[in-house]
Amino acid sequence: MIPVTAITRSLSGLAWRWRGGNMDLGGDARLSDDLVDKLLLSRGVDRDDLERHRRPTLRDFLPDPSIFRDMDAAARRLADAVERQEAVTVYGDYDVDGATSAALLIRLLGELGLPARAYIPDRLLEGYGPSGEALVRLAREGSRLIVTVDCGAMAHEALAAAHAEGVDVIVVDHHKCAPELPIAAALVNPNRLDEADEAAAHGHLAAVGVAFLLAVATVRTLRGRGWFDRRPAPDLMRLLDLVALGTVADVAQLKGLNRALVAQGLKVMARRENVGLSALIDASRLNRAPTCSDLGFALGPRINAAGRVGDSSLGVRLLTTEDPDEARTISARLSELNDERRAIEQAVQEAAEAQVDAQHNRAVIVVSGEGWHPGVIGIVAGRIKEKTGKPTLVIALGADEAGQGKGSGRSISGVDLGAAIIAAREAGMLVAGGGHAMACGLTIDPAALPRLADWLDERLARDVAEARAAQALLLDLSLTAGGLTPSLIETLEGAGPFGVGWPGPRIAVGPVRLVKCDLVGTDHVRMIASGGDGRSFKAIAFRAAQTELGQVLLHQSRGRQFWLAGRAKIDDWGTRPAAELHVEDAAFAD
């Protein structure tokens, strides 16, 4: 029998290694008292800091907002607008992070007695980030202050046009910056190159997290001016449901402050005080308090769908409404748009994957096509990245009237794709481009595509090779079939919330035989596995049917024993909760 620690090549071609120390529970399903502590230690927590990380709170993790450059200036300018009752527009990006950031500031200003307007650009007609034309138009319509959220850090021309028009602009962003910053009344971004180390340590924040810090700083500034001597101060904790949603949906690393924001935000969301979020939870058919996974796979995609294939303003409208009927109507529309998005995505993905085989020697996959919908190319890039294990750019050609290509990229851990795209733009290969380590966006003249592909291949080849060589399936614990229980899962959740940068526990269960294995849906592999201890459990490998893993499980599993590795989840469809395994990999155990 092959022990789990001896697996050097799984069905997915990976070696299996322990993330921390050996946590083989074997046939003993009793839970160690320090199981959660071991999970925390394996994720980089110092032993003397365990208590703070067991129950992450804002009291323990929230920094003084003043450590960030321009934060105090931004807070003073917002406080001025509140006191003077100025016309303010919040200019957000069209994704979930942009929608939640805009909604957070609009809700804050509303509670401070200042109604603010939201402006979300159309993905197809206006593209990413603030345009000079839009900023000037907003100024001429009366806005004296514009706050850009989740965009603006690289909008030099647009902000220069706004400055010439005499309107103040505050930039609240988290994307990588160039050495030269655009003109702004304040530019708050932990990823500014001139940011101090203490603030730069929070570079993993999503824009909505930066917006929350600005909210804290603004309320503090107004309190110092005596603004709340005769009126109640807003309860900023009630905004954390928005912070949690934007942070998880933007795939920000759930470490440090982000983990505390999401942990507390999930508690706020469970109270369903936000009328729009409550309606969205109902539309997503969730009959329990949302989890991190729900934010990323149920709620977030519905809001994203508005910016991808529909009306980009729907997300902000939903998250700021106080009208239950309007909330239900918008949520239903978002669900319809999400279904439409899935169909469009499937067509683009099939066309994109047809080009991948010809690039097997490339370090970076670059695929493009006429007529591809720009609203789904980021999702497709992520899917191809997962299948190939390589950074991927998907480019929709002819995406605007000028015939330019709009691209979206997703990277692998250890390869900074955003920095490469910024360098490509500075080298003159792109019309526009930016991003962060794991994701990017760009605009390109189609004639420059071959040059860009060659340049990225040369620049990132070593990084990609080193990153892929270091790839392994990291396990947190192993156990027999009988050890996979709801009580185990409940204990493991004590080390959450989990997400990018703070991965959920991965469990190896075995050895097991597959009592049943078949297809469900179009490409999911469904299993019933039985262990030598006589216990059995359900398992499923999503989108695995056409992979080597799925083919072996479906057609070569008879008479063989396996180790199954993946995430343990609660199956609550039956009369009582049961444990099941969401399989990510498998290996022969005999």
PDB file of all heavy atoms in Angstrom, residues 35-36 39-40 54 56 259 266 291-293 486-498 502 504-505 567-570:
ATOM      1  N   LEU A  35      -5.570  21.104  16.603  1.00  0.00           N
ATOM      2  CA  LEU A  35      -5.662  20.985  15.157  1.00  0.00           C
ATOM      3  C   LEU A  35      -5.732  22.368  14.495  1.00  0.00           C
ATOM      4  O   LEU A  35      -5.051  22.634  13.504  1.00  0.00           O
ATOM      5  CB  LEU A  35      -6.886  20.151  14.772  1.00  0.00           C
ATOM      6  CG  LEU A  35      -7.137  19.927  13.275  1.00  0.00           C
ATOM      7  CD1 LEU A  35      -5.932  19.290  12.616  1.00  0.00           C
ATOM      8  CD2 LEU A  35      -8.369  19.070  13.055  1.00  0.00           C
ATOM      9  N   VAL A  36      -6.554  23.265  15.029  1.00  0.00           N
ATOM     10  CA  VAL A  36      -6.674  24.606  14.458  1.00  0.00           C
ATOM     11  C   VAL A  36      -5.347  25.342  14.570  1.00  0.00           C
ATOM     12  O   VAL A  36      -4.920  26.013  13.619  1.00  0.00           O
ATOM     13  CB  VAL A  36      -7.800  25.394  15.152  1.00  0.00           C
ATOM     14  CG1 VAL A  36      -7.757  26.865  14.746  1.00  0.00           C
ATOM     15  CG2 VAL A  36      -9.150  24.792  14.805  1.00  0.00           C
ATOM     16  N   LEU A  39      -3.084  24.290  11.849  1.00  0.00           N
ATOM     17  CA  LEU A  39      -3.458  24.890  10.562  1.00  0.00           C
ATOM     18  C   LEU A  39      -2.965  26.332  10.484  1.00  0.00           C
ATOM     19  O   LEU A  39      -2.471  26.777   9.445  1.00  0.00           O
ATOM     20  CB  LEU A  39      -4.969  24.838  10.385  1.00  0.00           C
ATOM     21  CG  LEU A  39      -5.591  23.452  10.175  1.00  0.00           C
ATOM     22  CD1 LEU A  39      -7.107  23.560  10.137  1.00  0.00           C
ATOM     23  CD2 LEU A  39      -5.078  22.807   8.893  1.00  0.00           C
ATOM     24  N   LEU A  40      -3.104  27.076  11.579  1.00  0.00           N
ATOM     25  CA  LEU A  40      -2.656  28.466  11.589  1.00  0.00           C
ATOM     26  C   LEU A  40      -1.137  28.546  11.440  1.00  0.00           C
ATOM     27  O   LEU A  40      -0.616  29.372  10.682  1.00  0.00           O
ATOM     28  CB  LEU A  40      -3.097  29.146  12.882  1.00  0.00           C
ATOM     29  CG  LEU A  40      -4.607  29.279  13.104  1.00  0.00           C
ATOM     30  CD1 LEU A  40      -4.892  29.901  14.474  1.00  0.00           C
ATOM     31  CD2 LEU A  40      -5.251  30.114  12.015  1.00  0.00           C
ATOM     32  N   ARG A  54      -6.707  33.246  15.893  1.00  0.00           N
ATOM     33  CA  ARG A  54      -7.806  32.293  16.076  1.00  0.00           C
ATOM     34  C   ARG A  54      -9.151  32.969  15.862  1.00  0.00           C
ATOM     35  O   ARG A  54     -10.067  32.381  15.302  1.00  0.00           O
ATOM     36  CB  ARG A  54      -7.755  31.699  17.489  1.00  0.00           C
ATOM     37  CG  ARG A  54      -6.627  30.708  17.720  1.00  0.00           C
ATOM     38  CD  ARG A  54      -6.818  29.970  19.042  1.00  0.00           C
ATOM     39  NE  ARG A  54      -5.596  29.297  19.455  1.00  0.00           N
ATOM     40  CZ  ARG A  54      -4.772  29.745  20.391  1.00  0.00           C
ATOM     41  NH1 ARG A  54      -5.059  30.864  21.039  1.00  0.00           N
ATOM     42  NH2 ARG A  54      -3.689  29.072  20.704  1.00  0.00           N
ATOM     43  N   PRO A  56      -9.909  36.505  14.357  1.00  0.00           N
ATOM     44  CA  PRO A  56      -9.429  37.791  13.830  1.00  0.00           C
ATOM     45  C   PRO A  56     -10.484  38.892  13.967  1.00  0.00           C
ATOM     46  O   PRO A  56     -11.615  38.751  13.496  1.00  0.00           O
ATOM     47  CB  PRO A  56      -9.142  37.476  12.356  1.00  0.00           C
ATOM     48  CG  PRO A  56      -9.997  36.296  12.030  1.00  0.00           C
ATOM     49  CD  PRO A  56     -10.072  35.495  13.304  1.00  0.00           C
ATOM     50  N   ARG A 259      -8.382  39.141   6.298  1.00  0.00           N
ATOM     51  CA  ARG A 259      -9.057  38.022   6.959  1.00  0.00           C
ATOM     52  C   ARG A 259      -9.964  38.527   8.072  1.00  0.00           C
ATOM     53  O   ARG A 259     -11.086  38.026   8.255  1.00  0.00           O
ATOM     54  CB  ARG A 259      -8.006  37.051   7.506  1.00  0.00           C
ATOM     55  CG  ARG A 259      -8.595  35.765   8.073  1.00  0.00           C
ATOM     56  CD  ARG A 259      -7.546  34.677   8.206  1.00  0.00           C
ATOM     57  NE  ARG A 259      -8.022  33.608   9.068  1.00  0.00           N
ATOM     58  CZ  ARG A 259      -7.723  33.483  10.355  1.00  0.00           C
ATOM     59  NH1 ARG A 259      -6.905  34.348  10.926  1.00  0.00           N
ATOM     60  NH2 ARG A 259      -8.210  32.491  11.065  1.00  0.00           N
ATOM     61  N   LEU A 266     -18.743  38.712   7.304  1.00  0.00           N
ATOM     62  CA  LEU A 266     -19.672  37.588   7.184  1.00  0.00           C
ATOM     63  C   LEU A 266     -20.696  37.600   8.319  1.00  0.00           C
ATOM     64  O   LEU A 266     -21.860  37.248   8.130  1.00  0.00           O
ATOM     65  CB  LEU A 266     -18.904  36.273   7.166  1.00  0.00           C
ATOM     66  CG  LEU A 266     -18.148  35.954   5.877  1.00  0.00           C
ATOM     67  CD1 LEU A 266     -17.237  34.748   6.067  1.00  0.00           C
ATOM     68  CD2 LEU A 266     -19.116  35.709   4.717  1.00  0.00           C
ATOM     69  N   THR A 291     -21.273  31.938   3.222  1.00  0.00           N
ATOM     70  CA  THR A 291     -19.884  31.640   3.550  1.00  0.00           C
ATOM     71  C   THR A 291     -18.981  32.325   2.540  1.00  0.00           C
ATOM     72  O   THR A 291     -19.452  32.905   1.554  1.00  0.00           O
ATOM     73  CB  THR A 291     -19.629  30.131   3.492  1.00  0.00           C
ATOM     74  OG1 THR A 291     -19.819  29.682   2.133  1.00  0.00           O
ATOM     75  CG2 THR A 291     -20.597  29.374   4.400  1.00  0.00           C
ATOM     76  N   CYS A 292     -17.676  32.230   2.767  1.00  0.00           N
ATOM     77  CA  CYS A 292     -16.717  32.788   1.810  1.00  0.00           C
ATOM     78  C   CYS A 292     -16.946  32.226   0.413  1.00  0.00           C
ATOM     79  O   CYS A 292     -16.896  32.953  -0.588  1.00  0.00           O
ATOM     80  CB  CYS A 292     -15.283  32.466   2.254  1.00  0.00           C
ATOM     81  SG  CYS A 292     -14.433  33.847   2.999  1.00  0.00           S
ATOM     82  N   SER A 293     -17.175  30.944   0.338  1.00  0.00           N
ATOM     83  CA  SER A 293     -17.395  30.302  -0.952  1.00  0.00           C
ATOM     84  C   SER A 293     -18.615  30.882  -1.653  1.00  0.00           C
ATOM     85  O   SER A 293     -18.604  31.101  -2.865  1.00  0.00           O
ATOM     86  CB  SER A 293     -17.567  28.792  -0.761  1.00  0.00           C
ATOM     87  OG  SER A 293     -17.811  28.145  -1.986  1.00  0.00           O
ATOM     88  N   PRO A 486     -18.892  15.523   9.750  1.00  0.00           N
ATOM     89  CA  PRO A 486     -19.285  16.924   9.920  1.00  0.00           C
ATOM     90  C   PRO A 486     -18.575  17.600  11.079  1.00  0.00           C
ATOM     91  O   PRO A 486     -18.252  18.788  11.013  1.00  0.00           O
ATOM     92  CB  PRO A 486     -20.798  16.832  10.158  1.00  0.00           C
ATOM     93  CG  PRO A 486     -21.211  15.583   9.445  1.00  0.00           C
ATOM     94  CD  PRO A 486     -20.068  14.630   9.659  1.00  0.00           C
ATOM     95  N   SER A 487     -18.316  16.870  12.156  1.00  0.00           N
ATOM     96  CA  SER A 487     -17.642  17.481  13.308  1.00  0.00           C
ATOM     97  C   SER A 487     -16.213  17.871  12.955  1.00  0.00           C
ATOM     98  O   SER A 487     -15.705  18.898  13.438  1.00  0.00           O
ATOM     99  CB  SER A 487     -17.663  16.537  14.507  1.00  0.00           C
ATOM    100  OG  SER A 487     -17.021  15.319  14.215  1.00  0.00           O
ATOM    101  N   LEU A 488     -15.540  17.068  12.129  1.00  0.00           N
ATOM    102  CA  LEU A 488     -14.197  17.427  11.673  1.00  0.00           C
ATOM    103  C   LEU A 488     -14.247  18.732  10.879  1.00  0.00           C
ATOM    104  O   LEU A 488     -13.441  19.646  11.102  1.00  0.00           O
ATOM    105  CB  LEU A 488     -13.604  16.316  10.807  1.00  0.00           C
ATOM    106  CG  LEU A 488     -12.307  16.688  10.082  1.00  0.00           C
ATOM    107  CD1 LEU A 488     -11.151  16.784  11.057  1.00  0.00           C
ATOM    108  CD2 LEU A 488     -11.994  15.718   8.955  1.00  0.00           C
ATOM    109  N   ILE A 489     -15.207  18.828   9.964  1.00  0.00           N
ATOM    110  CA  ILE A 489     -15.319  20.020   9.123  1.00  0.00           C
ATOM    111  C   ILE A 489     -15.605  21.244   9.984  1.00  0.00           C
ATOM    112  O   ILE A 489     -15.036  22.323   9.762  1.00  0.00           O
ATOM    113  CB  ILE A 489     -16.410  19.811   8.061  1.00  0.00           C
ATOM    114  CG1 ILE A 489     -16.026  18.643   7.139  1.00  0.00           C
ATOM    115  CG2 ILE A 489     -16.627  21.087   7.250  1.00  0.00           C
ATOM    116  CD1 ILE A 489     -17.115  18.222   6.182  1.00  0.00           C
ATOM    117  N   GLU A 490     -16.464  21.087  10.984  1.00  0.00           N
ATOM    118  CA  GLU A 490     -16.774  22.203  11.873  1.00  0.00           C
ATOM    119  C   GLU A 490     -15.520  22.668  12.610  1.00  0.00           C
ATOM    120  O   GLU A 490     -15.288  23.878  12.772  1.00  0.00           O
ATOM    121  CB  GLU A 490     -17.849  21.780  12.875  1.00  0.00           C
ATOM    122  CG  GLU A 490     -18.277  22.901  13.815  1.00  0.00           C
ATOM    123  CD  GLU A 490     -19.371  22.454  14.768  1.00  0.00           C
ATOM    124  OE1 GLU A 490     -19.921  21.345  14.584  1.00  0.00           O
ATOM    125  OE2 GLU A 490     -19.675  23.219  15.698  1.00  0.00           O
ATOM    126  N   THR A 491     -14.695  21.736  13.018  1.00  0.00           N
ATOM    127  CA  THR A 491     -13.451  22.097  13.705  1.00  0.00           C
ATOM    128  C   THR A 491     -12.506  22.829  12.759  1.00  0.00           C
ATOM    129  O   THR A 491     -11.908  23.852  13.114  1.00  0.00           O
ATOM    130  CB  THR A 491     -12.763  20.840  14.253  1.00  0.00           C
ATOM    131  OG1 THR A 491     -13.615  20.220  15.215  1.00  0.00           O
ATOM    132  CG2 THR A 491     -11.432  21.200  14.913  1.00  0.00           C
ATOM    133  N   LEU A 492     -12.363  22.323  11.546  1.00  0.00           N
ATOM    134  CA  LEU A 492     -11.459  22.936  10.571  1.00  0.00           C
ATOM    135  C   LEU A 492     -11.872  24.365  10.244  1.00  0.00           C
ATOM    136  O   LEU A 492     -11.025  25.236  10.011  1.00  0.00           O
ATOM    137  CB  LEU A 492     -11.424  22.102   9.293  1.00  0.00           C
ATOM    138  CG  LEU A 492     -10.858  20.682   9.417  1.00  0.00           C
ATOM    139  CD1 LEU A 492     -10.946  19.960   8.071  1.00  0.00           C
ATOM    140  CD2 LEU A 492      -9.427  20.707   9.913  1.00  0.00           C
ATOM    141  N   GLU A 493     -13.179  24.621  10.227  1.00  0.00           N
ATOM    142  CA  GLU A 493     -13.657  25.968   9.911  1.00  0.00           C
ATOM    143  C   GLU A 493     -13.197  26.988  10.941  1.00  0.00           C
ATOM    144  O   GLU A 493     -13.208  28.190  10.679  1.00  0.00           O
ATOM    145  CB  GLU A 493     -15.186  25.971   9.816  1.00  0.00           C
ATOM    146  CG  GLU A 493     -15.735  25.291   8.567  1.00  0.00           C
ATOM    147  CD  GLU A 493     -15.262  25.962   7.287  1.00  0.00           C
ATOM    148  OE1 GLU A 493     -15.247  27.210   7.234  1.00  0.00           O
ATOM    149  OE2 GLU A 493     -14.901  25.232   6.343  1.00  0.00           O
ATOM    150  N   GLY A 494     -12.755  26.515  12.103  1.00  0.00           N
ATOM    151  CA  GLY A 494     -12.252  27.423  13.120  1.00  0.00           C
ATOM    152  C   GLY A 494     -10.992  28.144  12.709  1.00  0.00           C
ATOM    153  O   GLY A 494     -10.611  29.147  13.324  1.00  0.00           O
ATOM    154  N   ALA A 495     -10.317  27.677  11.673  1.00  0.00           N
ATOM    155  CA  ALA A 495      -9.110  28.347  11.172  1.00  0.00           C
ATOM    156  C   ALA A 495      -9.439  29.288  10.019  1.00  0.00           C
ATOM    157  O   ALA A 495      -8.538  29.901   9.449  1.00  0.00           O
ATOM    158  CB  ALA A 495      -8.081  27.315  10.714  1.00  0.00           C
ATOM    159  N   GLY A 496     -10.725  29.424   9.672  1.00  0.00           N
ATOM    160  CA  GLY A 496     -11.133  30.273   8.555  1.00  0.00           C
ATOM    161  C   GLY A 496     -11.304  31.715   8.973  1.00  0.00           C
ATOM    162  O   GLY A 496     -10.957  32.092  10.106  1.00  0.00           O
ATOM    163  N   PRO A 497     -11.852  32.575   8.075  1.00  0.00           N
ATOM    164  CA  PRO A 497     -12.329  32.216   6.735  1.00  0.00           C
ATOM    165  C   PRO A 497     -11.172  31.955   5.775  1.00  0.00           C
ATOM    166  O   PRO A 497     -10.081  32.488   5.944  1.00  0.00           O
ATOM    167  CB  PRO A 497     -13.129  33.461   6.311  1.00  0.00           C
ATOM    168  CG  PRO A 497     -12.483  34.582   7.055  1.00  0.00           C
ATOM    169  CD  PRO A 497     -12.062  34.003   8.376  1.00  0.00           C
ATOM    170  N   PHE A 498     -11.462  31.133   4.762  1.00  0.00           N
ATOM    171  CA  PHE A 498     -10.434  30.701   3.836  1.00  0.00           C
ATOM    172  C   PHE A 498     -10.624  31.344   2.468  1.00  0.00           C
ATOM    173  O   PHE A 498     -11.734  31.655   2.052  1.00  0.00           O
ATOM    174  CB  PHE A 498     -10.466  29.177   3.683  1.00  0.00           C
ATOM    175  CG  PHE A 498     -10.257  28.446   4.976  1.00  0.00           C
ATOM    176  CD1 PHE A 498     -11.300  27.764   5.581  1.00  0.00           C
ATOM    177  CD2 PHE A 498      -9.015  28.452   5.592  1.00  0.00           C
ATOM    178  CE1 PHE A 498     -11.108  27.085   6.777  1.00  0.00           C
ATOM    179  CE2 PHE A 498      -8.815  27.779   6.795  1.00  0.00           C
ATOM    180  CZ  PHE A 498      -9.863  27.093   7.386  1.00  0.00           C
ATOM    181  N   TRP A 502      -4.890  32.241   2.007  1.00  0.00           N
ATOM    182  CA  TRP A 502      -5.223  31.575   3.281  1.00  0.00           C
ATOM    183  C   TRP A 502      -6.066  30.356   2.922  1.00  0.00           C
ATOM    184  O   TRP A 502      -7.262  30.303   3.161  1.00  0.00           O
ATOM    185  CB  TRP A 502      -5.982  32.524   4.201  1.00  0.00           C
ATOM    186  CG  TRP A 502      -6.022  32.081   5.634  1.00  0.00           C
ATOM    187  CD1 TRP A 502      -6.988  31.344   6.231  1.00  0.00           C
ATOM    188  CD2 TRP A 502      -5.047  32.343   6.641  1.00  0.00           C
ATOM    189  NE1 TRP A 502      -6.685  31.131   7.546  1.00  0.00           N
ATOM    190  CE2 TRP A 502      -5.500  31.743   7.827  1.00  0.00           C
ATOM    191  CE3 TRP A 502      -3.829  33.043   6.662  1.00  0.00           C
ATOM    192  CZ2 TRP A 502      -4.770  31.813   9.020  1.00  0.00           C
ATOM    193  CZ3 TRP A 502      -3.123  33.105   7.842  1.00  0.00           C
ATOM    194  CH2 TRP A 502      -3.591  32.497   8.996  1.00  0.00           C
ATOM    195  N   GLY A 504      -8.078  26.951   2.289  1.00  0.00           N
ATOM    196  CA  GLY A 504      -8.828  26.021   3.118  1.00  0.00           C
ATOM    197  C   GLY A 504      -8.077  24.714   3.259  1.00  0.00           C
ATOM    198  O   GLY A 504      -7.282  24.336   2.390  1.00  0.00           O
ATOM    199  N   PRO A 505      -8.285  23.993   4.347  1.00  0.00           N
ATOM    200  CA  PRO A 505      -7.567  22.739   4.578  1.00  0.00           C
ATOM    201  C   PRO A 505      -7.814  21.738   3.453  1.00  0.00           C
ATOM    202  O   PRO A 505      -8.954  21.531   3.031  1.00  0.00           O
ATOM    203  CB  PRO A 505      -8.149  22.232   5.896  1.00  0.00           C
ATOM    204  CG  PRO A 505      -8.724  23.430   6.555  1.00  0.00           C
ATOM    205  CD  PRO A 505      -9.208  24.311   5.445  1.00  0.00           C
ATOM    206  N   ARG A 567     -11.149  19.295  -0.716  1.00  0.00           N
ATOM    207  CA  ARG A 567     -11.720  20.086   0.378  1.00  0.00           C
ATOM    208  C   ARG A 567     -12.950  19.376   0.935  1.00  0.00           C
ATOM    209  O   ARG A 567     -13.829  18.956   0.168  1.00  0.00           O
ATOM    210  CB  ARG A 567     -12.134  21.476  -0.114  1.00  0.00           C
ATOM    211  CG  ARG A 567     -11.123  22.142  -1.008  1.00  0.00           C
ATOM    212  CD  ARG A 567      -9.938  22.674  -0.254  1.00  0.00           C
ATOM    213  NE  ARG A 567      -9.058  23.423  -1.141  1.00  0.00           N
ATOM    214  CZ  ARG A 567      -7.940  24.019  -0.770  1.00  0.00           C
ATOM    215  NH1 ARG A 567      -7.564  23.970   0.485  1.00  0.00           N
ATOM    216  NH2 ARG A 567      -7.191  24.677  -1.636  1.00  0.00           N
ATOM    217  N   ALA A 568     -13.014  19.271   2.233  1.00  0.00           N
ATOM    218  CA  ALA A 568     -14.164  18.652   2.880  1.00  0.00           C
ATOM    219  C   ALA A 568     -15.278  19.684   3.035  1.00  0.00           C
ATOM    220  O   ALA A 568     -15.038  20.816   3.458  1.00  0.00           O
ATOM    221  CB  ALA A 568     -13.766  18.109   4.244  1.00  0.00           C
ATOM    222  N   LYS A 569     -16.478  19.313   2.647  1.00  0.00           N
ATOM    223  CA  LYS A 569     -17.633  20.208   2.709  1.00  0.00           C
ATOM    224  C   LYS A 569     -18.804  19.509   3.380  1.00  0.00           C
ATOM    225  O   LYS A 569     -18.861  18.275   3.429  1.00  0.00           O
ATOM    226  CB  LYS A 569     -18.048  20.654   1.299  1.00  0.00           C
ATOM    227  CG  LYS A 569     -16.952  21.359   0.506  1.00  0.00           C
ATOM    228  CD  LYS A 569     -16.626  22.720   1.076  1.00  0.00           C
ATOM    229  CE  LYS A 569     -15.576  23.433   0.243  1.00  0.00           C
ATOM    230  NZ  LYS A 569     -15.261  24.771   0.781  1.00  0.00           N
ATOM    231  N   ILE A 570     -19.753  20.299   3.847  1.00  0.00           N
ATOM    232  CA  ILE A 570     -20.977  19.741   4.428  1.00  0.00           C
ATOM    233  C   ILE A 570     -22.035  19.621   3.334  1.00  0.00           C
ATOM    234  O   ILE A 570     -22.327  20.584   2.628  1.00  0.00           O
ATOM    235  CB  ILE A 570     -21.519  20.633   5.559  1.00  0.00           C
ATOM    236  CG1 ILE A 570     -20.548  20.642   6.743  1.00  0.00           C
ATOM    237  CG2 ILE A 570     -22.894  20.163   6.010  1.00  0.00           C
ATOM    238  CD1 ILE A 570     -20.454  19.326   7.469  1.00  0.00           C
TER     239      ILE A 570
END
